[in-house]
Amino acid sequence: MSSAAAAVEDHLLEVLLPSLFPEASILRGHPGAGQLRQDVVALVDCSVQTSPECMGPRRPLAEQIEITLLLSCTRVGRAAVQRAADHAAWAMYGSVRDALRDATTPHLGGTCREARVTSARLERSADPEMLERGRSAAITVTLSVRATT
């Protein structure tokens, strides 16, 4: 049996994230530099650690999956729009965090035992070309997911 990571990624990209952010661009992989999209959600990274869950003929594996999402908000304008970009990014973060806290979604459609947000970090663009066109706020969110395969 393959890792649960593929099913978790698919559920995030095809079900949960589009339902939370219908107007955003949802991407598998990094959005790249220089793109002036208003709101972007990108699943940029995934790692899996496995360990035997118990002994026996089948030996199911416990998987600890770490997924990195990038929630990026760009607003056209000068320095005054940075606050709007920051607030939009934090609102997206809150939507992801709250969706995984909701009792109806922590298993991501049955793909895992538990998923939750474990960290977030806001970064603002310092690229001079970008700053000429607008302001950007990008929050890197780490999801911790437990699954059994």
Side-chain angles (χ1 to χ4, degrees), residues 29-79:
H30 202 280
Q35 308 235 355
L36 198 60
R37 295 181 182 139
Q38 184 153 342
D39 295 332
V40 176
V41 178
L43 194 153
V44 295
D45 205 7
C46 181
S47 65
V48 179
Q49 293 182 0
T50 60
S51 61
E53 190 160 87
C54 64
M55 295 306 199
R58 186 172 168 266
R59 292 188 185 197
L61 295 174
E63 291 188 332
Q64 181 66 38
I65 303 166
E66 298 289 325
I67 293 177
T68 305
L69 298 177
L70 181 68
L71 310 174
S72 177
C73 296
T74 301
R75 301 297 182 261
V76 176
R78 297 293 179 161

Side-chain angles (χ1 to χ4, degrees), residues 8 63-67 108 112 114-115 143-147:
V8 169
E63 291 188 332
Q64 181 66 38
I65 303 166
E66 298 289 325
I67 293 177
L108 299 177
C112 66
E114 176 194 28
L143 306 179
S144 291
V145 179
R146 290 185 312 129

